[in-house]
Amino acid sequence: MLVSWDVLAIAVVVLVVGCIVALAAVVVIKGSRHARERRRTVHENAVRSRIMALAVAEDEALDALVQELASTPGPLGDHVEQTLLRMIPEVRGDVREAMISVLAARGLLRRSLQRISSRSAIQRAGAAELLGVLGGSEVIRPLTAALRDKNLEVRLVAARALGVAARPEAGGHLVDALSLTSGIPHSVAATALLNLPDQDPTVYIEGLRDRDAGIRYGSAAVVGMLLMSEAAEALFECLLAEGGRENASDVVVAACARSLGRLSYKPATSELAEISCSSSASSSVRQAAGEALRAMPGAEAREVRRHVMERADADVRRILVDA
Amino acid sequence: MDNILEPLRAGIQWLFEITAYPVLAYFIVINTSLLLLIIFASVNFTSHLRRQSFTGSRVTAASPLSPGISVLMPAYNEGAVIAASVRAVLDLRYPDHEVVVINDGSSDETLQTLIDVYDLVEDQREVSIKVPVRGAVRRTYRARDTALPIIVVDKENSGRSDSLNMGLNVASKDLVVMVDADSLLDPDSLLVVSKPFTDDPEHVIATGGVVRVANGCEVVAGRVVSVNMPKNYFARIQIVEYLRSFLLGRAGWSQLNSLILISGAFGMFRRDLIIRAGGLDADSIGEDFELVMRLHKLMREEKRKYRVIFIAEPVCWTEVPSSAAVLARQRRRWHRGLWEVLTKYRGMTFNPRYGSVGMIALPYYWIFELIAPAIELFGIFIVPLGLLLGVVNVPYALAFIAVAYLYAIFVSLMALLVEEASFHRYNRWRDLWVALSVSVIENVGYRQLTAVWRMQGWWAALRGKKQVWGTMTRTGFESSAP
């Protein structure tokens, strides 16, 4: 006999018990989820009208409403927080301010500031996200500190949060976060930089001369996206200097080229034409140069494009044919 | 009569003796490994769900620096759905994506519909051929309104893989997604599936989104708006099957960094890498599987750190076969594809040079995916014969079969438990009872049938029979209002 009857019987009993336990667990989980959903609907009905009133209330009525929502206790209060956190990214202006003041009055800012030094990386990342939503000058210091967190995920969330908080004083820190050593993807830090108001072009001009290729790339991308014409010359210098650098990077050249195109920086036209036809440049760099050439205005650029069409590869020709 | 029966009885007895322990070990290990994959998947889901509040999808959706995505959509006689499918993809929430439709020599109105609906004009621009293609291109089209990011390539019929290769040549973005024209994508699917590329651009080379069963769901304007259990028996069973093998199995492999199969219905790749790998293999039946294997091989041989990631969040919905004939064709094709790819990359199996892919994933697919139907059919054949000849003790055999099927049911219940605790897409109690009942019912009839179909696929591959793509008869969705 393969296995004894005893073993077989035990296996059957264990599996039947296992199936019953798994079945019971499925039923309990589903039941409790449905119960939570019902409670959520009750809470939703209880607070919806007051939250919507935040959007239209003024002066004393607004203060009273903020006070009322801030002091809502228990699970209903938790629901107020969750609802406001869901709504805040969708609203702007005074309504957003009112919502944030409700959350701050409920102690969310204080709790998040505490949690950003938690031992759990998930808690720290969650706190960084909330601090970004809550915004204000007091969140910048903890968020910039989180850019140097030992956990990459926390650093990444902190970079995004600084973009959401949108305070100009975060600019220098985010430019530093573009560094290859930070581990934060360039596109994340650069996207955050795009959201900051009142930016100083000199930060990016310095960034374009930095030894770190990540900082050069991010600065080049942001300068183009924000149409910082003051930095156009430095951008062109960066493009010319990149080939001679020890840590020359294709992505930096491509970013410089695209941004020069966005800024319509005419002195770069012939250099871009050279790059777009160069066999030593990578395909992505040639295409970026081609895109920049396509964006260049004027008769001279048209003439250059005509010459490039005769020499460039099919990908570049495909880009230029519309121009 | 006894002269014939006695040697047969002795033969069966001998067969039982030599196969009993290996089969028992096989059956314990296959279910236990499935259970382990489910545990790994649970870790994967927990990690995913705990991070949901800070995914950054809102920021990515608005960023001009998010990597561009080309959505490649091969279409063969999809005239009835093509306009809505393209519209649904164009409407996906993403800052920079284009749609490349490759009309694979359709004999219906697919091309004309696209020309009319999207006001297409002939595109005179050159296409640089980076990946060789077989089907000759007749014409390429683009929208008269150049702001509408759609390119249509009209070519001679040459199959899905070759069409996708043509799409790769036309695509201009850094990432490519391959979707079927009848796939229904969730609005945030591109954001969700591209997130690993944004967060770790250096290492992530491919991501696969989970594909769920659309049968029974309510669909409005190309979007699944209400998830329901289908009424069809085969479709219901496939829901549990997809849950167990695709959602949980692949999430488990992803957690082990050994994912070797990304569904052709929704997979995202770095375009430069696919081109470097030579595009899709137009001769392969399992072209999606083959591509991922080739990328693994390329990366491992270049000793590069890389990741292939499975996204468990629902992103893509597809209609599964609801008749035995269509299902049989599909399973034969899948198994044949499995055999072809595994034999093609046999040198990687048990080869430490290929890390966990070579030492864990590939051996698993050989032993527990490819051979499984043979073992199952052997059991189906030998046990009744043994009972008939009196070689097997009936109560003992029944108890043994009970253990085998109870373990399989337990694994399915664990899969349902993990789904309920994580994504719980089937919200109604009735759906749960249906899923539970099919977890039991599938063990009688369905499993055996699929084993037969898979063996047929294997047999066809061994005979070198030419594979023809059958027509997937679609029954449509519960409600398809525009």
Side-chain angles (χ1 to χ4, degrees):
Chain A
M1 207 168 268
L2 191 57
V3 283
S4 73
W5 268 106
D6 289 349
V7 174
L8 213 53
I10 290 169
V12 170
V13 171
V14 167
L15 286 169
V16 167
V17 171
C19 286
I20 292 170
V21 170
L23 182 63
V26 175
V27 171
V28 168
I29 290 173
K30 197 174 188 78
S32 55
R33 186 165 53 79
H34 280 192
R36 271 200 311 275
E37 277 167 11
R38 279 196 297 274
R39 275 200 303 276
R40 196 179 302 137
T41 310
V42 170
H43 293 154
E44 187 76 41
N45 293 336
V47 301
R48 189 193 293 136
S49 58
R50 280 180 288 164
I51 287 179
M52 296 317 287
L54 268 182
V56 288
E58 287 178 349
D59 304 331
E60 285 94 13
L62 180 63
D63 292 342
L65 204 52
V66 168
Q67 191 59 41
E68 186 194 342
L69 287 167
S71 56
T72 307
L76 204 58
D78 294 342
H79 188 77
V80 168
E81 281 182 21
Q82 286 158 17
T83 309
L84 290 178
L85 282 171
R86 266 203 319 274
M87 292 175 72
I88 282 174
E90 310 288 347
V91 294
R92 293 279 174 273
D94 293 345
V95 182
R96 185 187 169 94
E97 293 305 316
M99 288 178 172
I100 287 172
S101 54
V102 170
L103 292 174
R106 291 192 61 81
L108 191 65
L109 182 62
R110 181 177 41 77
R111 274 181 278 147
S112 301
L113 287 171
Q114 282 168 358
R115 240 184 294 164
I116 203 159
S117 355
S118 153
R119 289 175 63 183
S120 153
I122 296 267
Q123 292 255 332
R124 293 201 298 279
E129 173 84 6
L130 286 178
L131 288 176
V133 172
L134 294 170
S137 55
E138 61 269 56
V139 306
I140 301 303
R141 188 192 286 265
L143 283 177
T144 51
L147 285 177
R148 292 181 295 279
D149 194 283
K150 57 181 184 271
N151 183 286
L152 173 60
E153 191 165 33
V154 177
R155 299 202 293 275
L156 210 145
V157 176
R160 283 196 184 114
L162 281 168
V164 175
R167 303 281 302 189
E169 58 264 39
H173 299 280
L174 281 169
V175 170
D176 289 344
L178 288 165
S179 163
L180 294 176
T181 54
S182 78
I184 300 169
H186 310 140
S187 64
V188 172
T191 298
L193 279 166
L194 292 177
N195 287 344
L196 306 190
D198 310 324
Q199 299 213 51
D200 179 5
T202 54
V203 172
Y204 296 101
I205 293 170
E206 279 172 30
L208 288 164
R209 293 169 184 152
D210 201 282
R211 284 164 56 185
D212 189 300
I215 295 181
R216 292 200 300 279
Y217 159 77
S219 302
V222 173
V223 160
M225 290 290 175
L226 296 180
L227 301 178
M228 281 181 182
S229 50
E230 304 93 322
E233 202 177 323
L235 194 63
F236 187 37
E237 282 168 15
C238 179
L239 176 86
L240 296 174
E242 193 64 25
R245 282 186 186 273
E246 204 175 289
N247 61 347
S249 163
D250 276 359
V251 290
V252 175
V253 178
C256 285
R258 287 199 178 94
S259 290
L260 286 167
R262 281 197 191 94
L263 293 168
S264 303
Y265 188 67
K266 286 184 183 176
T269 308
S270 52
E271 186 62 30
L272 290 169
E274 279 306 311
I275 295 173
S276 63
C277 298
S278 164
S279 55
S280 58
S282 71
S283 170
S284 60
V285 167
R286 285 199 299 270
Q287 287 179 50
E291 283 169 28
L293 267 185
R294 186 176 61 185
M296 288 292 175
E300 189 194 342
R302 253 198 314 278
E303 188 60 23
V304 169
R305 279 195 293 269
R306 203 174 54 77
H307 285 296
V308 169
M309 284 291 280
E310 289 163 10
R311 291 158 52 211
D313 66 20
D315 287 322
V316 175
R317 289 202 299 272
R318 190 173 162 82
I319 290 165
L320 289 178
V321 78
D322 285 337
Chain B
M1 190 69 177
D2 273 359
N3 288 347
I4 305 166
L5 282 180
E6 206 43 53
L8 189 61
R9 201 173 284 136
I12 296 290
Q13 179 79 44
W14 174 79
L15 210 55
F16 264 104
E17 275 167 16
I18 62 157
T19 56
Y21 279 106
V23 169
L24 176 71
Y26 182 87
F27 142 79
I28 290 172
V29 177
I30 192 171
N31 280 302
T32 306
S33 41
L34 260 176
L35 208 56
L36 280 174
L37 280 176
I38 290 174
I39 291 167
F40 284 121
S42 313
V43 175
N44 184 292
F45 291 178
T46 309
S47 160
H48 176 84
L49 292 169
R50 289 183 73 189
R51 284 162 174 77
Q52 260 192 334
S53 66
F54 45 85
T55 55
S57 60
R58 197 183 296 274
V59 175
T60 310
S63 172
L65 296 173
S66 298
I69 299 173
S70 296
V71 182
L72 310 185
M73 189 187 278
Y76 176 70
N77 288 349
E78 301 280 3
V81 295
I82 193 69
S85 298
V86 170
R87 184 76 263 163
V89 173
L90 287 170
D91 288 346
L92 292 176
R93 202 160 72 105
Y94 198 78
D96 181 16
H97 70 290
E98 64 176 7
V99 185
V100 179
V101 182
I102 310 99
N103 178 41
D104 188 24
S106 298
S107 54
D108 71 350
E109 69 286 3
T110 301
L111 180 64
Q112 198 52 49
T113 304
L114 287 168
I115 291 172
D116 294 344
V117 173
Y118 295 101
D119 191 18
L120 301 181
V121 291
E122 195 172 339
D123 185 356
Q124 303 287 356
R125 293 176 300 174
E126 277 177 84
V127 176
S128 127
I129 301 296
K130 302 169 194 82
V131 179
V133 283
R134 293 173 181 173
V137 176
R138 293 167 183 154
R139 276 195 184 95
T140 57
Y141 298 85
R142 61 176 167 167
R144 191 185 305 275
D145 172 7
T146 50
L148 194 64
I150 175 173
I151 297 170
V152 175
V153 181
D154 180 32
K155 59 181 267 297
E156 285 171 4
N157 181 270
S158 57
R160 184 177 183 272
S161 308
D162 197 52
S163 301
L164 284 168
N165 282 340
M166 189 60 224
L168 281 170
N169 288 325
V170 173
S172 63
K173 309 292 181 184
D174 292 340
L175 303 175
V176 288
V177 176
M178 300 172 187
V179 297
D180 290 339
D182 52 1
S183 293
L184 304 169
L185 303 181
D186 277 1
D188 283 349
S189 53
L190 293 182
L191 283 173
V192 171
V193 179
S194 67
K195 184 179 182 293
F197 289 96
T198 314
D199 289 354
D200 189 2
E202 206 180 326
H203 298 119
V204 177
I205 61 163
T207 55
V210 67
V211 178
R212 292 220 178 204
V213 176
N215 302 50
C217 295
E218 189 185 341
V219 178
V220 175
R223 297 268 186 271
V224 171
V225 293
S226 170
V227 182
N228 306 308
M229 273 281 170
K231 294 185 178 75
N232 179 275
Y233 167 77
F234 284 114
R236 280 179 172 180
I237 290 184
Q238 285 172 87
I239 284 176
V240 177
E241 203 182 15
Y242 269 55
L243 207 62
R244 191 179 50 223
S245 305
F246 298 172
L247 174 63
L248 295 161
R250 287 182 193 171
W253 285 119
S254 179
Q255 188 65 23
L256 291 168
N257 200 19
S258 306
L259 184 66
I260 59 172
L261 179 52
I262 285 177
S263 173
F266 196 82
M268 185 178 278
F269 300 85
R270 264 177 52 183
R271 186 169 64 101
D272 61 335
L273 274 180
I274 309 189
I275 289 173
R276 201 143 69 79
L280 288 103
D281 180 355
D283 293 323
S284 180
I285 297 296
E287 73 284 355
D288 36 10
F289 187 13
E290 200 279 335
L291 175 65
V292 181
M293 280 309 303
R294 196 137 35 94
L295 290 176
H296 274 296
K297 191 165 187 280
L298 182 76
M299 302 308 279
R300 296 270 178 181
E301 285 176 355
E302 289 183 357
K303 293 189 170 55
R304 283 173 59 177
K305 274 190 175 177
Y306 71 100
R307 289 161 71 202
V308 176
I309 292 176
F310 178 75
I311 310 288
E313 212 166 319
V315 288
C316 176
W317 302 80
T318 191
E319 190 181 350
V320 298
S322 51
S323 75
V326 181
L327 184 63
R329 270 205 300 273
Q330 183 197 55
R331 295 308 156 99
R332 282 186 209 118
R333 197 178 66 239
W334 282 3
H335 212 72
R336 185 176 177 163
L338 180 70
W339 164 255
E340 284 181 1
V341 176
L342 289 179
T343 47
K344 184 172 179 183
Y345 292 97
R346 61 189 176 279
M348 289 172 71
T349 314
F350 287 122
N351 188 339
R353 187 182 176 194
Y354 298 100
S356 54
V357 169
M359 296 304 286
I360 306 173
L362 280 170
Y364 176 92
Y365 273 78
W366 271 101
I367 302 168
F368 300 124
E369 291 286 345
L370 190 73
I371 301 174
I375 304 265
E376 185 146 7
L377 288 179
F378 174 74
I380 291 169
F381 169 73
I382 201 81
V383 172
L385 199 62
L387 287 170
L388 206 69
L389 296 172
V391 174
V392 181
N393 176 325
V394 176
Y396 186 83
L398 288 178
F400 195 83
I401 290 168
V403 172
Y405 286 126
L406 271 173
Y407 202 178
I409 292 168
F410 176 66
V411 170
S412 295
L413 285 174
M414 289 304 290
L416 287 176
L417 176 65
V418 174
E419 158 70 0
E420 194 55 53
S422 53
F423 300 106
H424 43 77
R425 298 295 291 201
Y426 295 91
N427 198 35
R428 295 177 310 178
W429 281 103
R430 208 183 67 187
D431 294 338
L432 176 65
W433 306 133
V434 170
L436 289 171
S437 61
V438 296
S439 311
V440 178
I441 295 167
E442 68 163 338
N443 292 297
V444 186
Y446 180 82
R447 270 181 68 160
Q448 293 74 19
L449 261 179
T450 50
V452 172
W453 295 331
R454 288 161 77 187
M455 285 305 294
Q456 287 173 341
W458 198 358
W459 180 238
L462 289 172
R463 282 168 54 212
K465 197 176 160 190
K466 190 173 157 41
Q467 172 68 34
V468 283
W469 280 73
T471 314
M472 162 78 181
T473 315
R474 301 194 182 277
T475 52
F477 303 108
E478 295 295 304
S479 160
S480 301

